[in-house]
Amino acid sequence: MAERVRLIDVAREAGTSVSTVSRALNGSDLISPEVVAHVRAVAGQLGYRADKRAQEFKLGRPLTVGVTVPDLTNPFFSEVLKGLNASARAGGYRLLIGESSEDPAEELRLVDELVDYSGALVLCSSRLTRAGLEKALAQPVPVVCINRTVKNAGVVAIDYRAASRLLLEHLTGLGHRRVLYVGGPATSWSDGERRRTLRRTARALDVTLDEIDGGWSGNHGYDAGPTVLHSRATAVITFNDLVGIGLLSWMYDNGVEVPSELSVASYDDIPIAAYSRPPLTSLRNERAKLGELAWEQLTKRLGGADWPAPDLLTPELVVRASTGPARRRARIR
Amino acid sequence: MAERVRLIDVAREAGTSVSTVSRALNGSDLISPEVVAHVRAVAGQLGYRADKRAQEFKLGRPLTVGVTVPDLTNPFFSEVLKGLNASARAGGYRLLIGESSEDPAEELRLVDELVDYSGALVLCSSRLTRAGLEKALAQPVPVVCINRTVKNAGVVAIDYRAASRLLLEHLTGLGHRRVLYVGGPATSWSDGERRRTLRRTARALDVTLDEIDGGWSGNHGYDAGPTVLHSRATAVITFNDLVGIGLLSWMYDNGVEVPSELSVASYDDIPIAAYSRPPLTSLRNERAKLGELAWEQLTKRLGGADWPAPDLLTPELVVRASTGPARRRARIR
DNA sequence: TTGTACGCGTTATCAG
DNA sequence: CTGATAACGCGTACAA
């Protein structure tokens, strides 16, 4: 374990001073080319590597963006992280991750902890209460919220109004008049938005909309099976594809034909949605782009500008075999 | 944006010195309780928060563990990250993430970059060549490899020998004598291990094993459909569940009955595997535990001990409906 | 028990 | 153009 080579070692070896070495290495403007070459040579020879931590410490805020997600294993967040990471990295920043386990209190602790090491924060699908969010925004670093609208912060979100309209219009176009929504986590803002926009659109389209609570995983969808079956809906919209696939699975296990007896559609269109039986009609959204836009907002803000207007991403309906014409259900159990 | 309160501000306000404040706050041994109380009170009142970066800078190595994964959206890695993150956090460390995009060169760059900010490194399913791995291990911080065996580093991996045996024994028990393996990414060590152990076990069980190349996503499985169908195998083992589900989907689209005409089994048993049609027979492994064990090895090592012996996790076969008795296929196209 | 002074590794300021 | 030197915010010998 060789001793770490420091700036002063290079200076000594090059027969000059630390300032010169620093300048030579950082490409300062006023310095003789020969010295630069010499210093660089010596540095290379000695295997010198600047201590990035010391640099950033000296320079000010850390080039790190702290991110919180409710659950690392949720494919939606994985892709957001992917996009955010790529952009941030391209901008010279690194990602410090925090997982709240869907727990608002934990999320607040995370924010409090991450901010100590971060120059900016991204809250992905924050589960914080309104009050909690206020506290988070009071941090001395810029904060962007993904899928959560809020004042005085960056906002990047899916346009759920458009999303819900696409879904319901598709279903009414197939003749469905009675739709059931299987919801997501109670703390999820986007679940609230989905419900709100669905209700509103349902009213406009004269569709009867019922709602039940759910969650975000396949289990939640599977467990909702009996309730769904006993409802009078001819079509179901699920919080996301995992729930949708779980529900499809229950229907299959219980001999309910999809889509002839029941249509199922969903939000997100994660890759696996194309491979369910039947393939799931879903709303494609650019999740990675959510992360990229979050980073864009951050850079602008870090550059001294005010927060840009919220970025709203309009999803696209991918129609697959899980939705079909409305028909009276053959069997009721 | 209030000015940041520093140690010296607290000292001034408390009418004492920085060292006293520092000691009081850090619970030093020799200091009068009253002073401690007083300092704490003042600090609290001023809303003092230690600059963690300065602390860590002063104290030495950063309390951060850098992690590389080939792809953030691969569910396998998500769960590893989840486990690692939870453990590391419990140990006072944070996770700095890096995604190599399945590119060995990029992974090496990542290692080189992350090490500047990390007190330890975890390479998850490293795609590095042997030489690249050598370089990575030459870093001045301890490195743990997940799903990759190597000398002079921590190693945590799935026991693929046991895994492959479980799979093949299950299939031979159903009468299959001709099995096809649909492989994963060429740079994947674990794909290599799966092949190696499958071959070896196939020989022992007198099973004919064929292999084709694939990848890690549903598309790879779907695209392998025609080749699989035209092979003479009665059972297929796929690199992972995503590939398996993609393959199932192709079989369905093309009217091939699973498992009556073809059995499909796979590695990993990600949650969605239970919801495919038919549900996928797969090898359950504790992915989160891989992360936890990696952290355990790291703490031991950071504590000054030698690297512990590699941790091998034995998977468990979850038999579902995608595997059944071998039968001559009804149709060949 | 407390305070002073120094150092962590770097960059920036200010003389020269 | 270059070299001392002062920070950045904190912990801790050493001295008192």
Side-chain angles (χ1 to χ4, degrees), chain A residues 265-299:
Chain A
S266 164
Y267 295 84
D268 290 355
D269 189 40
I270 59 176
I272 201 82
Y275 298 114
S276 65
R277 277 305 131 214
L280 194 58
T281 292
S282 192
L283 281 163
R284 176 169 302 166
N285 49 30
E286 302 180 273
R287 295 174 286 286
K289 187 142 196 179
L290 284 178
E292 292 162 16
L293 289 173
W295 170 249
E296 267 184 35
Q297 296 220 357
L298 231 32
T299 43

PDB file of all heavy atoms in Angstrom, chain A residues 265-299:
ATOM      1  N   ALA A 265     -56.015  -2.705 -18.358  1.00  0.00           N
ATOM      2  CA  ALA A 265     -55.052  -1.747 -18.889  1.00  0.00           C
ATOM      3  C   ALA A 265     -54.327  -1.098 -17.723  1.00  0.00           C
ATOM      4  O   ALA A 265     -54.780  -1.186 -16.571  1.00  0.00           O
ATOM      5  CB  ALA A 265     -55.746  -0.692 -19.735  1.00  0.00           C
ATOM      6  N   SER A 266     -53.238  -0.439 -18.027  1.00  0.00           N
ATOM      7  CA  SER A 266     -52.391  -0.016 -16.919  1.00  0.00           C
ATOM      8  C   SER A 266     -51.485   1.157 -17.288  1.00  0.00           C
ATOM      9  O   SER A 266     -51.402   1.552 -18.447  1.00  0.00           O
ATOM     10  CB  SER A 266     -51.557  -1.237 -16.515  1.00  0.00           C
ATOM     11  OG  SER A 266     -50.486  -0.864 -15.735  1.00  0.00           O
ATOM     12  N   TYR A 267     -50.812   1.679 -16.300  1.00  0.00           N
ATOM     13  CA  TYR A 267     -49.868   2.766 -16.500  1.00  0.00           C
ATOM     14  C   TYR A 267     -48.424   2.245 -16.523  1.00  0.00           C
ATOM     15  O   TYR A 267     -48.116   1.282 -15.843  1.00  0.00           O
ATOM     16  CB  TYR A 267     -49.958   3.783 -15.349  1.00  0.00           C
ATOM     17  CG  TYR A 267     -51.263   4.527 -15.253  1.00  0.00           C
ATOM     18  CD1 TYR A 267     -52.348   3.968 -14.597  1.00  0.00           C
ATOM     19  CD2 TYR A 267     -51.406   5.796 -15.803  1.00  0.00           C
ATOM     20  CE1 TYR A 267     -53.549   4.656 -14.481  1.00  0.00           C
ATOM     21  CE2 TYR A 267     -52.601   6.498 -15.694  1.00  0.00           C
ATOM     22  CZ  TYR A 267     -53.668   5.926 -15.034  1.00  0.00           C
ATOM     23  OH  TYR A 267     -54.839   6.616 -14.928  1.00  0.00           O
ATOM     24  N   ASP A 268     -47.583   2.914 -17.248  1.00  0.00           N
ATOM     25  CA  ASP A 268     -46.111   2.771 -17.238  1.00  0.00           C
ATOM     26  C   ASP A 268     -45.487   2.012 -18.400  1.00  0.00           C
ATOM     27  O   ASP A 268     -44.448   2.403 -18.905  1.00  0.00           O
ATOM     28  CB  ASP A 268     -45.588   2.150 -15.931  1.00  0.00           C
ATOM     29  CG  ASP A 268     -45.736   3.106 -14.767  1.00  0.00           C
ATOM     30  OD1 ASP A 268     -46.155   4.256 -14.991  1.00  0.00           O
ATOM     31  OD2 ASP A 268     -45.440   2.701 -13.626  1.00  0.00           O
ATOM     32  N   ASP A 269     -46.101   0.876 -18.772  1.00  0.00           N
ATOM     33  CA  ASP A 269     -45.507   0.067 -19.833  1.00  0.00           C
ATOM     34  C   ASP A 269     -44.043  -0.255 -19.570  1.00  0.00           C
ATOM     35  O   ASP A 269     -43.150   0.102 -20.356  1.00  0.00           O
ATOM     36  CB  ASP A 269     -45.638   0.753 -21.198  1.00  0.00           C
ATOM     37  CG  ASP A 269     -45.214  -0.176 -22.334  1.00  0.00           C
ATOM     38  OD1 ASP A 269     -45.556  -1.366 -22.253  1.00  0.00           O
ATOM     39  OD2 ASP A 269     -44.529   0.284 -23.259  1.00  0.00           O
ATOM     40  N   ILE A 270     -43.808  -0.945 -18.498  1.00  0.00           N
ATOM     41  CA  ILE A 270     -42.450  -1.446 -18.269  1.00  0.00           C
ATOM     42  C   ILE A 270     -42.214  -2.589 -19.256  1.00  0.00           C
ATOM     43  O   ILE A 270     -43.164  -3.185 -19.775  1.00  0.00           O
ATOM     44  CB  ILE A 270     -42.249  -1.929 -16.823  1.00  0.00           C
ATOM     45  CG1 ILE A 270     -43.232  -3.041 -16.467  1.00  0.00           C
ATOM     46  CG2 ILE A 270     -42.388  -0.757 -15.857  1.00  0.00           C
ATOM     47  CD1 ILE A 270     -43.003  -3.617 -15.090  1.00  0.00           C
ATOM     48  N   PRO A 271     -40.950  -2.890 -19.548  1.00  0.00           N
ATOM     49  CA  PRO A 271     -40.634  -3.850 -20.602  1.00  0.00           C
ATOM     50  C   PRO A 271     -41.405  -5.169 -20.502  1.00  0.00           C
ATOM     51  O   PRO A 271     -41.855  -5.722 -21.493  1.00  0.00           O
ATOM     52  CB  PRO A 271     -39.132  -4.075 -20.425  1.00  0.00           C
ATOM     53  CG  PRO A 271     -38.631  -2.802 -19.849  1.00  0.00           C
ATOM     54  CD  PRO A 271     -39.737  -2.293 -18.964  1.00  0.00           C
ATOM     55  N   ILE A 272     -41.569  -5.640 -19.292  1.00  0.00           N
ATOM     56  CA  ILE A 272     -42.193  -6.948 -19.113  1.00  0.00           C
ATOM     57  C   ILE A 272     -43.660  -6.952 -19.522  1.00  0.00           C
ATOM     58  O   ILE A 272     -44.248  -8.013 -19.775  1.00  0.00           O
ATOM     59  CB  ILE A 272     -42.028  -7.390 -17.633  1.00  0.00           C
ATOM     60  CG1 ILE A 272     -42.169  -8.905 -17.492  1.00  0.00           C
ATOM     61  CG2 ILE A 272     -42.999  -6.679 -16.733  1.00  0.00           C
ATOM     62  CD1 ILE A 272     -40.912  -9.616 -17.820  1.00  0.00           C
ATOM     63  N   ALA A 273     -44.266  -5.774 -19.628  1.00  0.00           N
ATOM     64  CA  ALA A 273     -45.694  -5.693 -19.964  1.00  0.00           C
ATOM     65  C   ALA A 273     -45.978  -6.311 -21.328  1.00  0.00           C
ATOM     66  O   ALA A 273     -47.072  -6.818 -21.578  1.00  0.00           O
ATOM     67  CB  ALA A 273     -46.157  -4.244 -19.946  1.00  0.00           C
ATOM     68  N   ALA A 274     -44.996  -6.277 -22.198  1.00  0.00           N
ATOM     69  CA  ALA A 274     -45.196  -6.832 -23.540  1.00  0.00           C
ATOM     70  C   ALA A 274     -45.217  -8.354 -23.510  1.00  0.00           C
ATOM     71  O   ALA A 274     -45.647  -8.992 -24.465  1.00  0.00           O
ATOM     72  CB  ALA A 274     -44.088  -6.345 -24.472  1.00  0.00           C
ATOM     73  N   TYR A 275     -44.764  -8.928 -22.406  1.00  0.00           N
ATOM     74  CA  TYR A 275     -44.613 -10.376 -22.359  1.00  0.00           C
ATOM     75  C   TYR A 275     -45.605 -11.077 -21.446  1.00  0.00           C
ATOM     76  O   TYR A 275     -45.490 -12.259 -21.192  1.00  0.00           O
ATOM     77  CB  TYR A 275     -43.180 -10.742 -21.962  1.00  0.00           C
ATOM     78  CG  TYR A 275     -42.176 -10.255 -22.963  1.00  0.00           C
ATOM     79  CD1 TYR A 275     -41.249  -9.287 -22.634  1.00  0.00           C
ATOM     80  CD2 TYR A 275     -42.199 -10.752 -24.257  1.00  0.00           C
ATOM     81  CE1 TYR A 275     -40.339  -8.827 -23.564  1.00  0.00           C
ATOM     82  CE2 TYR A 275     -41.290 -10.294 -25.198  1.00  0.00           C
ATOM     83  CZ  TYR A 275     -40.360  -9.336 -24.847  1.00  0.00           C
ATOM     84  OH  TYR A 275     -39.474  -8.893 -25.783  1.00  0.00           O
ATOM     85  N   SER A 276     -46.535 -10.350 -20.909  1.00  0.00           N
ATOM     86  CA  SER A 276     -47.541 -11.014 -20.085  1.00  0.00           C
ATOM     87  C   SER A 276     -48.524 -11.744 -20.985  1.00  0.00           C
ATOM     88  O   SER A 276     -48.516 -11.581 -22.199  1.00  0.00           O
ATOM     89  CB  SER A 276     -48.267  -9.981 -19.224  1.00  0.00           C
ATOM     90  OG  SER A 276     -49.003  -9.098 -20.033  1.00  0.00           O
ATOM     91  N   ARG A 277     -49.372 -12.532 -20.414  1.00  0.00           N
ATOM     92  CA  ARG A 277     -50.414 -13.247 -21.159  1.00  0.00           C
ATOM     93  C   ARG A 277     -51.755 -12.783 -20.708  1.00  0.00           C
ATOM     94  O   ARG A 277     -52.129 -13.066 -19.591  1.00  0.00           O
ATOM     95  CB  ARG A 277     -50.282 -14.755 -20.953  1.00  0.00           C
ATOM     96  CG  ARG A 277     -49.285 -15.434 -21.844  1.00  0.00           C
ATOM     97  CD  ARG A 277     -49.535 -15.165 -23.291  1.00  0.00           C
ATOM     98  NE  ARG A 277     -48.266 -14.756 -23.921  1.00  0.00           N
ATOM     99  CZ  ARG A 277     -48.190 -13.884 -24.900  1.00  0.00           C
ATOM    100  NH1 ARG A 277     -49.257 -13.298 -25.361  1.00  0.00           N
ATOM    101  NH2 ARG A 277     -47.037 -13.568 -25.416  1.00  0.00           N
ATOM    102  N   PRO A 278     -52.564 -12.139 -21.486  1.00  0.00           N
ATOM    103  CA  PRO A 278     -52.152 -11.559 -22.759  1.00  0.00           C
ATOM    104  C   PRO A 278     -51.281 -10.346 -22.534  1.00  0.00           C
ATOM    105  O   PRO A 278     -51.255  -9.802 -21.431  1.00  0.00           O
ATOM    106  CB  PRO A 278     -53.492 -11.170 -23.393  1.00  0.00           C
ATOM    107  CG  PRO A 278     -54.379 -10.896 -22.226  1.00  0.00           C
ATOM    108  CD  PRO A 278     -53.963 -11.860 -21.168  1.00  0.00           C
ATOM    109  N   PRO A 279     -50.572  -9.915 -23.569  1.00  0.00           N
ATOM    110  CA  PRO A 279     -49.765  -8.703 -23.451  1.00  0.00           C
ATOM    111  C   PRO A 279     -50.624  -7.540 -22.986  1.00  0.00           C
ATOM    112  O   PRO A 279     -51.781  -7.433 -23.363  1.00  0.00           O
ATOM    113  CB  PRO A 279     -49.266  -8.485 -24.881  1.00  0.00           C
ATOM    114  CG  PRO A 279     -49.256  -9.843 -25.489  1.00  0.00           C
ATOM    115  CD  PRO A 279     -50.437 -10.550 -24.901  1.00  0.00           C
ATOM    116  N   LEU A 280     -50.043  -6.726 -22.153  1.00  0.00           N
ATOM    117  CA  LEU A 280     -50.811  -5.717 -21.434  1.00  0.00           C
ATOM    118  C   LEU A 280     -50.891  -4.380 -22.181  1.00  0.00           C
ATOM    119  O   LEU A 280     -49.881  -3.818 -22.592  1.00  0.00           O
ATOM    120  CB  LEU A 280     -50.146  -5.498 -20.080  1.00  0.00           C
ATOM    121  CG  LEU A 280     -50.884  -4.747 -18.989  1.00  0.00           C
ATOM    122  CD1 LEU A 280     -52.208  -5.420 -18.666  1.00  0.00           C
ATOM    123  CD2 LEU A 280     -50.008  -4.679 -17.744  1.00  0.00           C
ATOM    124  N   THR A 281     -52.093  -3.905 -22.341  1.00  0.00           N
ATOM    125  CA  THR A 281     -52.275  -2.553 -22.849  1.00  0.00           C
ATOM    126  C   THR A 281     -51.810  -1.588 -21.765  1.00  0.00           C
ATOM    127  O   THR A 281     -52.223  -1.688 -20.611  1.00  0.00           O
ATOM    128  CB  THR A 281     -53.763  -2.287 -23.167  1.00  0.00           C
ATOM    129  OG1 THR A 281     -54.152  -3.082 -24.285  1.00  0.00           O
ATOM    130  CG2 THR A 281     -53.978  -0.815 -23.498  1.00  0.00           C
ATOM    131  N   SER A 282     -50.931  -0.669 -22.127  1.00  0.00           N
ATOM    132  CA  SER A 282     -50.365   0.181 -21.080  1.00  0.00           C
ATOM    133  C   SER A 282     -49.924   1.535 -21.638  1.00  0.00           C
ATOM    134  O   SER A 282     -49.852   1.724 -22.843  1.00  0.00           O
ATOM    135  CB  SER A 282     -49.176  -0.532 -20.435  1.00  0.00           C
ATOM    136  OG  SER A 282     -48.784   0.120 -19.256  1.00  0.00           O
ATOM    137  N   LEU A 283     -49.676   2.434 -20.736  1.00  0.00           N
ATOM    138  CA  LEU A 283     -49.270   3.779 -21.124  1.00  0.00           C
ATOM    139  C   LEU A 283     -47.763   3.924 -21.050  1.00  0.00           C
ATOM    140  O   LEU A 283     -47.175   3.951 -19.973  1.00  0.00           O
ATOM    141  CB  LEU A 283     -49.902   4.806 -20.192  1.00  0.00           C
ATOM    142  CG  LEU A 283     -51.366   5.129 -20.488  1.00  0.00           C
ATOM    143  CD1 LEU A 283     -51.983   5.813 -19.288  1.00  0.00           C
ATOM    144  CD2 LEU A 283     -51.464   6.026 -21.717  1.00  0.00           C
ATOM    145  N   ARG A 284     -47.167   4.051 -22.208  1.00  0.00           N
ATOM    146  CA  ARG A 284     -45.716   4.174 -22.229  1.00  0.00           C
ATOM    147  C   ARG A 284     -45.299   5.577 -21.819  1.00  0.00           C
ATOM    148  O   ARG A 284     -45.792   6.575 -22.332  1.00  0.00           O
ATOM    149  CB  ARG A 284     -45.195   3.883 -23.631  1.00  0.00           C
ATOM    150  CG  ARG A 284     -43.687   4.094 -23.762  1.00  0.00           C
ATOM    151  CD  ARG A 284     -43.194   3.547 -25.058  1.00  0.00           C
ATOM    152  NE  ARG A 284     -43.527   2.120 -25.154  1.00  0.00           N
ATOM    153  CZ  ARG A 284     -43.469   1.416 -26.297  1.00  0.00           C
ATOM    154  NH1 ARG A 284     -43.105   1.996 -27.402  1.00  0.00           N
ATOM    155  NH2 ARG A 284     -43.777   0.132 -26.301  1.00  0.00           N
ATOM    156  N   ASN A 285     -44.394   5.652 -20.884  1.00  0.00           N
ATOM    157  CA  ASN A 285     -43.838   6.948 -20.511  1.00  0.00           C
ATOM    158  C   ASN A 285     -42.317   6.838 -20.511  1.00  0.00           C
ATOM    159  O   ASN A 285     -41.757   5.759 -20.371  1.00  0.00           O
ATOM    160  CB  ASN A 285     -44.356   7.392 -19.138  1.00  0.00           C
ATOM    161  CG  ASN A 285     -44.238   6.304 -18.103  1.00  0.00           C
ATOM    162  OD1 ASN A 285     -43.339   5.473 -18.167  1.00  0.00           O
ATOM    163  ND2 ASN A 285     -45.136   6.300 -17.137  1.00  0.00           N
ATOM    164  N   GLU A 286     -41.671   7.946 -20.711  1.00  0.00           N
ATOM    165  CA  GLU A 286     -40.221   7.923 -20.795  1.00  0.00           C
ATOM    166  C   GLU A 286     -39.625   8.145 -19.421  1.00  0.00           C
ATOM    167  O   GLU A 286     -39.286   9.262 -19.048  1.00  0.00           O
ATOM    168  CB  GLU A 286     -39.742   8.992 -21.767  1.00  0.00           C
ATOM    169  CG  GLU A 286     -40.321   8.839 -23.155  1.00  0.00           C
ATOM    170  CD  GLU A 286     -39.809   9.938 -24.071  1.00  0.00           C
ATOM    171  OE1 GLU A 286     -40.437  11.017 -24.101  1.00  0.00           O
ATOM    172  OE2 GLU A 286     -38.776   9.716 -24.720  1.00  0.00           O
ATOM    173  N   ARG A 287     -39.482   7.070 -18.708  1.00  0.00           N
ATOM    174  CA  ARG A 287     -39.017   7.182 -17.327  1.00  0.00           C
ATOM    175  C   ARG A 287     -37.588   7.685 -17.236  1.00  0.00           C
ATOM    176  O   ARG A 287     -37.268   8.520 -16.392  1.00  0.00           O
ATOM    177  CB  ARG A 287     -39.129   5.831 -16.638  1.00  0.00           C
ATOM    178  CG  ARG A 287     -40.561   5.369 -16.512  1.00  0.00           C
ATOM    179  CD  ARG A 287     -40.646   3.974 -15.969  1.00  0.00           C
ATOM    180  NE  ARG A 287     -40.267   2.966 -16.936  1.00  0.00           N
ATOM    181  CZ  ARG A 287     -41.030   2.604 -17.975  1.00  0.00           C
ATOM    182  NH1 ARG A 287     -42.175   3.206 -18.192  1.00  0.00           N
ATOM    183  NH2 ARG A 287     -40.638   1.667 -18.791  1.00  0.00           N
ATOM    184  N   ALA A 288     -36.745   7.161 -18.114  1.00  0.00           N
ATOM    185  CA  ALA A 288     -35.358   7.627 -18.068  1.00  0.00           C
ATOM    186  C   ALA A 288     -35.318   9.138 -18.301  1.00  0.00           C
ATOM    187  O   ALA A 288     -34.522   9.853 -17.692  1.00  0.00           O
ATOM    188  CB  ALA A 288     -34.519   6.898 -19.111  1.00  0.00           C
ATOM    189  N   LYS A 289     -36.215   9.588 -19.154  1.00  0.00           N
ATOM    190  CA  LYS A 289     -36.239  11.010 -19.462  1.00  0.00           C
ATOM    191  C   LYS A 289     -36.647  11.836 -18.244  1.00  0.00           C
ATOM    192  O   LYS A 289     -36.223  12.993 -18.105  1.00  0.00           O
ATOM    193  CB  LYS A 289     -37.197  11.278 -20.621  1.00  0.00           C
ATOM    194  CG  LYS A 289     -37.153  12.705 -21.111  1.00  0.00           C
ATOM    195  CD  LYS A 289     -37.282  12.805 -22.616  1.00  0.00           C
ATOM    196  CE  LYS A 289     -36.847  14.159 -23.121  1.00  0.00           C
ATOM    197  NZ  LYS A 289     -36.931  14.275 -24.575  1.00  0.00           N
ATOM    198  N   LEU A 290     -37.444  11.264 -17.390  1.00  0.00           N
ATOM    199  CA  LEU A 290     -37.775  11.965 -16.146  1.00  0.00           C
ATOM    200  C   LEU A 290     -36.498  12.323 -15.411  1.00  0.00           C
ATOM    201  O   LEU A 290     -36.314  13.440 -14.922  1.00  0.00           O
ATOM    202  CB  LEU A 290     -38.648  11.087 -15.244  1.00  0.00           C
ATOM    203  CG  LEU A 290     -40.126  10.920 -15.592  1.00  0.00           C
ATOM    204  CD1 LEU A 290     -40.788   9.968 -14.599  1.00  0.00           C
ATOM    205  CD2 LEU A 290     -40.831  12.254 -15.587  1.00  0.00           C
ATOM    206  N   GLY A 291     -35.607  11.356 -15.340  1.00  0.00           N
ATOM    207  CA  GLY A 291     -34.342  11.584 -14.669  1.00  0.00           C
ATOM    208  C   GLY A 291     -33.497  12.616 -15.396  1.00  0.00           C
ATOM    209  O   GLY A 291     -32.873  13.486 -14.775  1.00  0.00           O
ATOM    210  N   GLU A 292     -33.496  12.515 -16.710  1.00  0.00           N
ATOM    211  CA  GLU A 292     -32.689  13.456 -17.492  1.00  0.00           C
ATOM    212  C   GLU A 292     -33.196  14.890 -17.319  1.00  0.00           C
ATOM    213  O   GLU A 292     -32.413  15.825 -17.140  1.00  0.00           O
ATOM    214  CB  GLU A 292     -32.732  13.067 -18.972  1.00  0.00           C
ATOM    215  CG  GLU A 292     -32.024  11.748 -19.267  1.00  0.00           C
ATOM    216  CD  GLU A 292     -32.426  11.149 -20.619  1.00  0.00           C
ATOM    217  OE1 GLU A 292     -32.998  11.891 -21.435  1.00  0.00           O
ATOM    218  OE2 GLU A 292     -32.180   9.942 -20.825  1.00  0.00           O
ATOM    219  N   LEU A 293     -34.506  15.033 -17.370  1.00  0.00           N
ATOM    220  CA  LEU A 293     -35.069  16.371 -17.214  1.00  0.00           C
ATOM    221  C   LEU A 293     -34.829  16.915 -15.811  1.00  0.00           C
ATOM    222  O   LEU A 293     -34.600  18.111 -15.626  1.00  0.00           O
ATOM    223  CB  LEU A 293     -36.569  16.337 -17.518  1.00  0.00           C
ATOM    224  CG  LEU A 293     -36.914  16.122 -18.995  1.00  0.00           C
ATOM    225  CD1 LEU A 293     -38.406  15.924 -19.180  1.00  0.00           C
ATOM    226  CD2 LEU A 293     -36.437  17.317 -19.825  1.00  0.00           C
ATOM    227  N   ALA A 294     -34.880  16.040 -14.847  1.00  0.00           N
ATOM    228  CA  ALA A 294     -34.609  16.465 -13.472  1.00  0.00           C
ATOM    229  C   ALA A 294     -33.205  17.064 -13.410  1.00  0.00           C
ATOM    230  O   ALA A 294     -32.983  18.119 -12.808  1.00  0.00           O
ATOM    231  CB  ALA A 294     -34.729  15.283 -12.518  1.00  0.00           C
ATOM    232  N   TRP A 295     -32.290  16.391 -14.048  1.00  0.00           N
ATOM    233  CA  TRP A 295     -30.919  16.891 -14.060  1.00  0.00           C
ATOM    234  C   TRP A 295     -30.827  18.226 -14.791  1.00  0.00           C
ATOM    235  O   TRP A 295     -30.126  19.147 -14.357  1.00  0.00           O
ATOM    236  CB  TRP A 295     -29.977  15.875 -14.699  1.00  0.00           C
ATOM    237  CG  TRP A 295     -28.621  16.444 -14.935  1.00  0.00           C
ATOM    238  CD1 TRP A 295     -28.033  16.740 -16.112  1.00  0.00           C
ATOM    239  CD2 TRP A 295     -27.679  16.835 -13.915  1.00  0.00           C
ATOM    240  NE1 TRP A 295     -26.798  17.286 -15.916  1.00  0.00           N
ATOM    241  CE2 TRP A 295     -26.549  17.359 -14.581  1.00  0.00           C
ATOM    242  CE3 TRP A 295     -27.683  16.791 -12.526  1.00  0.00           C
ATOM    243  CZ2 TRP A 295     -25.437  17.840 -13.895  1.00  0.00           C
ATOM    244  CZ3 TRP A 295     -26.571  17.269 -11.833  1.00  0.00           C
ATOM    245  CH2 TRP A 295     -25.469  17.784 -12.518  1.00  0.00           C
ATOM    246  N   GLU A 296     -31.547  18.355 -15.897  1.00  0.00           N
ATOM    247  CA  GLU A 296     -31.546  19.613 -16.644  1.00  0.00           C
ATOM    248  C   GLU A 296     -32.040  20.765 -15.770  1.00  0.00           C
ATOM    249  O   GLU A 296     -31.445  21.841 -15.743  1.00  0.00           O
ATOM    250  CB  GLU A 296     -32.440  19.506 -17.874  1.00  0.00           C
ATOM    251  CG  GLU A 296     -31.702  19.094 -19.129  1.00  0.00           C
ATOM    252  CD  GLU A 296     -32.627  19.097 -20.332  1.00  0.00           C
ATOM    253  OE1 GLU A 296     -33.532  19.953 -20.407  1.00  0.00           O
ATOM    254  OE2 GLU A 296     -32.463  18.207 -21.188  1.00  0.00           O
ATOM    255  N   GLN A 297     -33.106  20.523 -15.073  1.00  0.00           N
ATOM    256  CA  GLN A 297     -33.632  21.568 -14.202  1.00  0.00           C
ATOM    257  C   GLN A 297     -32.596  21.945 -13.149  1.00  0.00           C
ATOM    258  O   GLN A 297     -32.399  23.109 -12.818  1.00  0.00           O
ATOM    259  CB  GLN A 297     -34.919  21.085 -13.529  1.00  0.00           C
ATOM    260  CG  GLN A 297     -36.050  20.821 -14.492  1.00  0.00           C
ATOM    261  CD  GLN A 297     -37.398  21.294 -13.959  1.00  0.00           C
ATOM    262  OE1 GLN A 297     -37.500  21.782 -12.837  1.00  0.00           O
ATOM    263  NE2 GLN A 297     -38.429  21.145 -14.768  1.00  0.00           N
ATOM    264  N   LEU A 298     -31.959  20.927 -12.647  1.00  0.00           N
ATOM    265  CA  LEU A 298     -30.958  21.140 -11.611  1.00  0.00           C
ATOM    266  C   LEU A 298     -29.814  22.002 -12.123  1.00  0.00           C
ATOM    267  O   LEU A 298     -29.370  22.937 -11.449  1.00  0.00           O
ATOM    268  CB  LEU A 298     -30.441  19.778 -11.156  1.00  0.00           C
ATOM    269  CG  LEU A 298     -30.420  19.472  -9.668  1.00  0.00           C
ATOM    270  CD1 LEU A 298     -31.561  20.166  -8.941  1.00  0.00           C
ATOM    271  CD2 LEU A 298     -30.492  17.983  -9.449  1.00  0.00           C
ATOM    272  N   THR A 299     -29.316  21.670 -13.299  1.00  0.00           N
ATOM    273  CA  THR A 299     -28.187  22.442 -13.827  1.00  0.00           C
ATOM    274  C   THR A 299     -28.577  23.901 -14.019  1.00  0.00           C
ATOM    275  O   THR A 299     -27.811  24.800 -13.678  1.00  0.00           O
ATOM    276  CB  THR A 299     -27.692  21.874 -15.170  1.00  0.00           C
ATOM    277  OG1 THR A 299     -28.811  21.551 -15.971  1.00  0.00           O
ATOM    278  CG2 THR A 299     -26.846  20.656 -14.958  1.00  0.00           C
TER     279      THR A 299
END
